[in-house]
Amino acid sequence: MNAKPDARRIRLCILISIVWLISVSHGSNTHAQSFTRVTDVGPIVTDQILSTGAAWNDINGDGFLDMFALGETQNLLYVNDGDGTFTAQTSGNFLTPEGVGNAALWADYNNDGFQDLFISNFVTMAGGTQLASNALFRNSGPPDYTLEMVNIGPELNASPSASWVDYDQDGDVDLFSAGARVEVGGEATGDLFYRQDAGGVFTRIEFLPFTALRPGVGTHDTWVDYDGDGDQDLFVVIWSSTNKLYKSLLEESGNPNRFDVVTTSGLTTDGAVSDIGSSWGDYDDDGDFDVFIPILSSSDRLYRNDGDGTFTRITSTPVTSGRSVMGVWGDADNDGDLDLYTGSRSPVLYVNDGNGGFEAVPASEDGDLSLPPPALQGGNWGDYDNDGDLDLFLLTYAIPANRDGSPQPNHLLRNDGGTANHWITIQCVGALSNRSAIGARVSVKRTVNGIPKWQHRMISGGTTSFVFHGDNRAHFGLGEASVVDSIRIAWPSGIEQVAVNEDVDQILTIVEEIPDGFSRANFYADQTAASGQSSLTVQFTDASLVDPNNQVVSWEWDLDGDGSNDAFIQNPTWTYSVSEDIAFSVRLTISNGVTSSTLLREEYITFEGVSTGADEQDAVLPQEIKLGQNYPNPFNPTTKIPISVRSTVDVQLNIYDVLGKRERRLFSGTLLPGTYSLSWDSTRDDGSHVASGMYLYELATSRGVKMYGRLMLVR
């Protein structure tokens, strides 16, 4: 699957290491859970391919989990028939790989209600050296639910991992694709990050801390709010090098492009180990997310989140006694706390005792669960039969564990229950937030014997433990509780929603409720950094989230951080001209007539390496042309707009309504140095009179400078 001997050795090392993993000792457990390997549910368990990745998802919206499996030479989609069996879909260009895929990720990227598919590819063919392009497929919806390829960009990249995330919290998902950091054709491949703008348009963002070149192979990435501040941070597992943790400064600065590289968390001190993935879950139910890291070359790692931005490595636990290729959290026995399955030559289910400790389920009590699949690649939980307990799908490779070996069927392990414990599964549907609710935090409270207990889950847009995207429904075991006391969802939009007294033993869909008059200012710019230049023209786009019944009626933009408003339209353009390195903060205040909201992005527009040579001083600078406030204001029916010019320049002066429709072009021509006063008699270009209300005036120069003012007509 890989691109040259160095890269290929990584894959082969992973496969061979799995085969030679040492056995993990088993303990005793009174909460045994039995699993059965099913062999009569269709081609999902009989097709033989060199499996490289997989993902659970409901592609057709019928309420049952379907399975998409990546292979080195073919991809497979198994549609759940709803009766415990699966049917293979045999047509579609997504079944013919663009390359050797590692990660398959589902998300409703265009918020149309149907799950779309992204595939991160490594190289064009197994064992080859040519880089592959990643692939995005849009779900057409009913009746056929076909997957149609969408052009996301021309970049070729060796991408062993990827993840969806709404990093700027604008209501649609963005996309991160990790680079392999291997030499291919003499060039190092890097990380890719695509910000999604309105209308499903993806823009590659290059100037981010986590897209900088680094050693090693980014085998796995997870976006997780590890510090509980409400924004999405990034943890990257790097094969044979130090792992990286990037803290988002969105909440602190308002700028989604600002990240701190965290070196004091305790997660990035292991150095060069053969770690291959990470699995995040709140195993101790203290409200923050902990992480299990499987390691092929030494003992697995468990890190407890201490709630202060740091993690403690837990060594006195059996879950770190093995060497694993994967580990996945899930409440396998529905007793109300997270258990852990670790996959290796000797797979083990560790049952949580409710106090932060774990016991290994003996092989004699787990049915087929501890039977090792040949050359295990990964796996994840998913309740495919909707009976309320978590089943397990495991990816296999070949016997022996190399490309010349015999491909093997994947394994589906049905959870046979064995307890009378209750459960609830929650399907979150975003409204202002992204439709897939990626980045949402779901919390459930139950009471047993008079003692209340909270559990917490996160809705993830990435794979768990290397190559498997799990079920994005939030599953909770409830033990003996007969009712769900409370469900609390913290949506990416900032809305918090609570439901109370819900029935147990159900799959519950919760749609994001938008409070009356809700408003949350948000925006982005088409570019935010200038290097080696003294001028930059920026297009700003309002991405605010508001109650659909109360749309935005006014915008106030401070585009240069001087405390005064520079624009009053929804999507202004602004030209910055500087003579030295500087950073500008940008502020947007919106109002929908019910509520108002302000967002300040600190040091959002940056200039570096600015030259002060005389040859760069011939541009018209904003300070050389000034647009004054109209007078009188309010007015009826005539007002004057002052302009002062220090050098000859071509300009246009236009009048717009608050929705951006041009009403009148007052002037278009050349102004010589001097002071001018242009009159508007409240008429349109066609001579008709405008109605009372607020209007905006825009002065635009031929050099790209634009300035704005606001005026009020009262008849």
Side-chain angles (χ1 to χ4, degrees):
M1 127 179 210
N2 302 60
K4 64 171 287 184
D6 286 346
R8 185 172 182 175
R9 280 199 297 270
I10 293 170
R11 168 65 75 181
L12 293 178
C13 179
I14 293 170
L15 296 171
I16 294 170
S17 297
I18 296 168
V19 173
W20 290 99
L21 288 173
I22 62 172
S23 298
V24 180
S25 61
H26 298 286
S28 63
N29 196 297
T30 59
H31 301 284
Q33 197 79 1
S34 183
F35 290 77
T36 299
R37 180 186 172 191
V38 294
T39 58
D40 57 353
V41 295
I44 188 173
V45 294
T46 58
D47 285 341
Q48 300 180 12
I49 63 172
L50 299 174
S51 298
T52 58
W56 289 111
N57 200 263
D58 181 7
I59 186 176
N60 55 10
D62 65 354
F64 288 91
L65 290 178
D66 309 303
M67 171 56 61
F68 179 73
L70 293 168
E72 287 202 346
T73 58
Q74 63 177 319
N75 299 329
L76 297 168
L77 174 63
Y78 303 103
V79 177
N80 194 325
D81 297 322
D83 59 1
T85 65
F86 292 81
T87 299
Q89 184 166 326
T90 58
S91 62
N93 58 356
F94 64 97
L95 298 176
T96 302
E98 293 290 309
V100 178
N102 270 54
L105 307 168
W106 294 94
D108 183 4
Y109 82 87
N110 54 358
N111 291 333
D112 65 354
F114 312 114
Q115 295 296 304
D116 312 299
L117 176 66
F118 176 78
I119 300 174
S120 70
N121 290 308
F122 202 74
V123 287
T124 56
M125 59 182 295
T129 60
Q130 184 177 355
L131 294 179
S133 59
N134 297 321
L136 175 64
F137 298 89
R138 181 180 62 84
N139 189 333
S140 68
D144 299 323
Y145 298 94
T146 57
L147 295 173
E148 303 165 347
M149 182 174 286
V150 176
N151 182 21
I152 192 174
E155 292 82 12
L156 299 177
N157 204 55
S159 297
S161 180
S163 51
W164 294 105
V165 60
D166 185 3
Y167 92 116
D168 51 5
Q169 297 178 346
D170 65 349
D172 49 40
V173 289
D174 314 294
L175 185 59
F176 173 76
S177 179
R181 304 307 177 196
V182 295
E183 294 292 327
V184 179
E187 297 182 2
T189 65
D191 295 342
L192 302 175
F193 188 80
Y194 299 94
R195 184 192 68 218
Q196 186 186 173
D197 300 332
V201 176
F202 289 86
T203 301
R204 184 181 177 187
I205 308 297
E206 300 185 60
F207 301 103
L208 294 169
F210 48 80
T211 61
L213 288 174
R214 58 172 179 261
V217 178
T219 56
H220 189 258
D221 54 90
T222 303
W223 292 88
V224 55
D225 183 11
Y226 83 94
D227 53 1
D229 65 352
D231 50 29
Q232 296 296 299
D233 312 300
L234 176 62
F235 180 63
V236 182
V237 173
I238 305 174
W239 173 278
S240 73
S241 188
T242 301
N243 297 331
K244 297 293 184 182
L245 178 62
Y246 302 92
K247 171 181 164 53
S248 170
L249 298 179
L250 176 61
E251 288 299 314
E252 291 85 350
S253 70
N255 188 343
N257 296 328
R258 290 187 62 188
F259 288 79
D260 273 346
V261 180
V262 180
T263 59
T264 58
S265 68
L267 288 183
T268 59
T269 58
D270 287 336
V273 296
S274 299
D275 44 0
I276 195 171
S278 65
S279 182
W280 291 77
D282 183 15
Y283 78 87
D284 52 4
D285 291 327
D286 64 351
D288 42 44
F289 294 104
D290 317 293
V291 59
F292 173 81
I293 301 178
I295 299 178
L296 294 175
S297 61
S298 61
S299 297
D300 298 333
R301 311 287 166 89
L302 176 64
Y303 292 92
R304 184 191 66 223
N305 191 329
D306 295 326
D308 59 359
T310 65
F311 293 77
T312 297
R313 181 179 173 185
I314 306 301
T315 55
S316 57
T317 175
V319 304
T320 61
S321 60
R323 292 187 292 172
S324 305
V325 67
M326 58 164 285
V328 285
W329 298 102
D331 191 352
D333 53 8
N334 281 339
D335 66 346
D337 42 45
L338 286 177
D339 311 306
L340 180 68
Y341 174 85
T342 61
S344 64
R345 185 181 179 186
S346 300
V348 183
L349 174 63
Y350 295 99
V351 175
N352 193 325
D353 64 10
N355 297 308
F358 294 88
E359 295 180 65
V361 176
S364 60
E365 299 180 15
D366 67 11
D368 296 331
L369 188 65
S370 59
L371 299 177
L376 179 67
Q377 281 288 91
N380 218 322
W381 303 104
D383 183 9
Y384 79 91
D385 50 8
N386 284 350
D387 64 352
D389 46 39
L390 295 176
D391 312 297
L392 186 64
F393 190 78
L394 299 175
L395 292 174
T396 68
Y397 194 70
I399 297 177
N402 60 59
R403 295 190 181 94
D404 297 324
S406 299
Q408 298 297 304
N410 296 318
H411 290 198
L412 178 58
L413 299 170
R414 184 187 65 229
N415 189 333
D416 294 324
T419 73
N421 290 331
H422 298 293
W423 57 275
I424 190 169
T425 296
I426 300 171
Q427 175 75 65
C428 295
V429 179
L432 283 183
S433 302
N434 67 86
R435 186 71 177 258
S436 299
I438 290 171
R441 175 190 175 103
V442 186
S443 302
V444 162
K445 185 176 75 170
R446 76 185 198 277
T447 301
V448 177
N449 297 324
I451 301 175
K453 182 179 180 181
W454 283 96
Q455 302 176 68
H456 311 275
R457 305 285 189 268
M458 66 177 184
I459 308 299
S460 173
T463 60
T464 299
S465 280
F466 191 29
V467 293
F468 207 123
H469 190 193
D471 181 5
N472 261 354
R473 302 177 299 182
H475 171 269
F476 296 85
L478 301 172
E480 299 177 358
S482 59
V483 67
V484 179
D485 297 336
S486 181
I487 301 171
R488 185 174 62 211
I489 302 177
W491 298 93
S493 65
I495 293 173
E496 291 201 2
Q497 185 171 343
V498 176
V500 296
N501 299 325
E502 295 287 350
D503 292 336
V504 300
D505 301 336
Q506 66 163 322
I507 298 174
L508 177 65
T509 297
I510 297 181
V511 180
E512 183 178 14
E513 293 182 354
I514 306 170
D516 291 341
F518 176 85
S519 64
R520 182 183 184 187
N522 197 6
F523 65 88
Y524 60 85
D526 65 340
Q527 50 188 332
T528 60
S531 179
Q533 60 192 75
S534 59
S535 181
L536 183 70
T537 298
V538 179
Q539 173 67 60
F540 291 92
T541 300
D542 170 38
S544 300
L545 303 177
V546 296
D547 174 7
N549 297 318
N550 293 277
Q551 294 292 329
V552 178
V553 296
S554 69
W555 298 263
E556 295 179 347
W557 295 84
D558 177 6
L559 297 167
D560 54 9
D562 65 354
S564 61
N565 294 325
D566 303 299
F568 302 92
I569 62 175
Q570 184 176 12
N571 302 313
T573 301
W574 189 259
T575 297
Y576 297 85
S577 295
V578 303
S579 58
E580 60 184 357
D581 290 357
I582 193 172
F584 293 95
S585 298
V586 178
R587 185 193 71 240
L588 169 63
T589 298
I590 62 168
S591 173
N592 61 6
V594 180
T595 62
S596 62
S597 174
T598 297
L599 173 63
L600 173 66
R601 297 204 189 282
E602 297 179 356
E603 300 181 357
Y604 189 50
I605 308 297
T606 61
F607 286 81
E608 294 183 354
V610 176
S611 171
T612 59
D615 57 336
E616 298 185 8
Q617 300 302 311
D618 58 348
V620 174
L621 303 181
Q623 59 265 32
E624 294 185 356
I625 182 169
K626 292 184 179 180
L627 177 65
Q629 181 64 50
N630 68 299
Y631 63 93
N633 191 43
F635 69 98
N636 180 26
T638 302
T639 188
K640 295 183 178 182
I641 302 172
I643 303 172
S644 62
V645 178
R646 294 186 181 180
S647 60
T648 301
V649 62
D650 293 330
V651 302
Q652 285 186 354
L653 181 62
N654 297 306
I655 307 293
Y656 296 89
D657 67 15
V658 294
L659 297 179
K661 176 186 176 184
R662 197 187 80 191
E663 298 286 7
R664 178 74 179 273
R665 175 161 289 169
L666 277 183
F667 180 82
S668 179
T670 301
L671 293 181
L672 300 176
T675 300
Y676 301 84
S677 181
L678 302 180
S679 295
W680 182 43
D681 59 2
S682 65
T683 61
R684 299 184 176 93
D685 287 332
D686 62 5
S688 62
H689 290 271
V690 301
S692 295
M694 183 182 298
Y695 294 86
L696 309 173
Y697 54 98
E698 174 198 69
L699 180 66
T701 77
S702 57
R703 303 292 181 87
V705 175
K706 292 185 178 180
M707 297 179 176
Y708 301 88
R710 181 170 55 181
L711 43 78
M712 177 69 71
L713 171 62
V714 180
R715 293 192 184 276

